[in-house]
Amino acid sequence: MVSLESLNFAYGEREVLRQVSFQIEAGRKVALLGPNGAGKSTLLLHLNGILEGRGRIVVDGVELNPKNLGEIRQKVGLVFQDPDDQLFCPTVFDDVAYGPLYQGLSAPEVEQRVERALQAVGMQQSGPRSPHQLSGGEKKRVALATVLSMQPALLALDEPTNGLDPRARRSLIELLRGLPDTMLVATHDLAMVEELLPDAIVMDEGRVVYQGATADLLADKELLERHGLTA
């Protein structure tokens, strides 16, 4: 589903991604872990071409390049850490419909996509509401619906449980558990990782230092401590 080969990126002279290579199989739920500044968010922004580094990225059989950004952005549903960065329309319906409308779908198909996406996140009654009237947990759900309406091949989520109270966090985890999509989830929430994401990639100083089973990673206390994943 996803293949990265020797991806490099720098902000000015500061290298942020260094020879990043990995593959993710279709249907897998994968944690992207590492200390602050490891390059996790920067990596996610490369998956649909928001940032452009040196290297090769292939998503669902399509190699990312400037000519196919539209196709890639339909395949990669990126959910930002702050849902307010993703919700900008007057109503929830308009936000969720924005992507399908941009795809040029007919009005009936757009409405069907919105209905399905809102139902998938448990917000089917919220179409007429203003996003600014929603709770933090509800905003996270609607932000997820905005990408589900595009029917992406990959969900890329940046700190999805950040800022949520325990009830909203539990609700979001159960929602993500029920989705069949391939996922790459950047997070510091190790309890969620253990419960939800059976595969893990660890980054530190812009490099991949581990890729494998989450259970093996969490059992390796020395590795966790060395890469800033434990207090």
Side-chain angles (χ1 to χ4, degrees):
M1 176 59 70
V2 182
S3 176
L4 273 68
E5 295 179 14
S6 301
L7 182 62
N8 296 271
F9 181 77
Y11 293 108
E13 296 183 356
R14 184 169 68 90
E15 286 188 289
V16 182
L17 300 178
R18 299 178 172 92
Q19 295 292 312
V20 174
S21 299
F22 61 76
Q23 294 184 339
I24 298 174
E25 295 180 5
R28 304 301 294 179
K29 290 180 169 64
V30 183
L32 182 60
L33 302 169
N36 289 333
K40 303 185 300 296
S41 295
T42 297
L43 174 60
L44 293 185
L45 293 174
H46 276 77
L47 294 177
N48 66 356
I50 293 177
L51 295 177
E52 182 181 355
R54 302 184 317 277
R56 185 170 184 261
I57 300 174
V58 179
V59 179
D60 196 25
V62 178
E63 183 172 354
L64 173 62
N65 62 56
K67 296 180 180 179
N68 62 15
L69 282 178
E71 183 179 3
I72 287 290
R73 287 172 180 169
Q74 291 176 30
K75 290 179 175 293
V76 179
L78 179 58
V79 182
F80 296 108
Q81 179 175 341
D82 185 349
D84 287 329
D85 292 337
Q86 206 145 355
L87 306 176
F88 51 84
C89 292
T91 69
V92 167
F93 181 95
D94 292 336
D95 268 318
V96 180
Y98 185 85
L101 283 171
Y102 178 77
Q103 289 178 301
L105 301 180
S106 67
E109 189 167 358
V110 169
E111 188 166 349
Q112 189 176 58
R113 291 273 194 104
V114 173
E115 183 179 342
R116 283 187 195 145
L118 288 176
Q119 186 170 9
V121 301
M123 296 289 288
Q124 56 266 42
Q125 305 300 323
S126 300
R129 297 177 65 185
S130 167
H132 303 297
Q133 297 174 342
L134 303 177
S135 69
E138 288 172 331
K139 286 181 179 180
K140 293 266 189 179
R141 286 172 171 266
V142 172
L144 181 56
T146 66
V147 300
L148 291 178
S149 68
M150 301 279 286
Q151 298 183 351
L154 170 71
L155 287 177
L157 297 90
D158 195 359
E159 297 289 355
T161 60
N162 187 52
L164 297 183
D165 63 36
R167 180 178 297 175
R169 175 185 173 278
R170 170 53 45 197
S171 179
L172 183 65
I173 289 173
E174 294 306 321
L175 166 60
L176 295 176
R177 190 196 309 279
L179 295 177
D181 308 69
T182 308
M183 293 183 195
L184 181 61
V185 184
T187 184
H188 290 101
D189 187 344
L190 289 183
M192 178 191 70
V193 170
E194 183 175 21
E195 181 179 351
L196 180 68
L197 306 167
D199 301 322
I201 296 168
V202 179
M203 295 182 63
D204 200 354
E205 297 183 347
R207 300 182 187 276
V208 173
V209 296
Y210 176 88
Q211 181 173 13
T214 294
D216 293 341
L217 170 67
L218 296 179
D220 191 336
K221 303 304 182 185
E222 181 182 349
L223 189 150
L224 292 173
E225 186 173 349
R226 185 164 67 246
H227 297 293
L229 299 178
T230 56

